[in-house]
Amino acid sequence: MQNKKTDCTAINPDTVNNTLPKMPDMKLLYELSDFFKVMGDNTRIQLLWALEINKMCVGDLAVLLNMTKSAVSHQLKILRSAKLVKAEKQGKNVYYSLDDDHVKTILEKALEHTNE
């Protein structure tokens, strides 16, 4: 079995043929890649970790991470677009938290892997 886009011939064509139909759709893989790009930023990881511990407003996050409110807001916008955090208005303030338990699980598993 030879792929038309590569100059390689499969060494184990049965393995290739078995794996191919089990691969996720390319669109999903691109979305997954974008997800990891968002997660691949140190500031956003710090924000996510803080929000795993407590719901927080922009001002408190800015103080915690020694950043400007504008910079924090910019990063939170990216995290919201990626559906990693959600916002809840309480009085005059907007409080951010992790969007769901999946985000917490991903963070914890990544830290566990990093610590190995």
Side-chain angles (χ1 to χ4, degrees), residues 3 7 14 33 36 47-48 51 54 77 80 88 90 93 108:
N3 185 318
D7 60 354
D14 290 342
S33 175
F36 280 108
L47 287 167
L48 289 169
L51 296 175
N54 283 306
K77 181 179 177 184
R80 281 184 74 185
E88 179 185 334
Q90 292 180 359
N93 292 313
E108 289 172 349

Side-chain angles (χ1 to χ4, degrees), residues 13-46:
D14 290 342
T15 302
V16 173
N17 288 329
N18 182 6
T19 304
L20 187 60
K22 296 175 184 172
M23 294 289 290
D25 181 73
M26 282 304 286
K27 183 177 185 257
L28 276 175
L29 291 175
Y30 281 119
E31 289 174 11
L32 184 60
S33 175
D34 289 342
F35 169 82
F36 280 108
K37 287 176 189 170
V38 170
M39 295 287 282
D41 179 89
N42 182 53
T43 299
R44 290 192 286 264
I45 289 293
Q46 289 179 63

Side-chain angles (χ1 to χ4, degrees), residues 34-94:
D34 289 342
F35 169 82
F36 280 108
K37 287 176 189 170
V38 170
M39 295 287 282
D41 179 89
N42 182 53
T43 299
R44 290 192 286 264
I45 289 293
Q46 289 179 63
L47 287 167
L48 289 169
W49 206 267
L51 296 175
E52 180 188 14
I53 298 166
N54 283 306
K55 255 186 211 183
M56 297 179 80
C57 64
V58 172
D60 290 344
L61 287 164
V63 170
L64 177 70
L65 301 180
N66 194 28
M67 296 173 62
T68 64
K69 287 194 291 185
S70 175
V72 169
S73 293
H74 174 73
Q75 297 300 332
L76 287 170
K77 181 179 177 184
I78 293 168
L79 292 170
R80 281 184 74 185
S81 294
K83 298 178 184 165
L84 295 172
V85 300
K86 61 185 174 186
E88 179 185 334
K89 189 158 176 83
Q90 292 180 359
K92 294 181 180 182
N93 292 313
V94 176

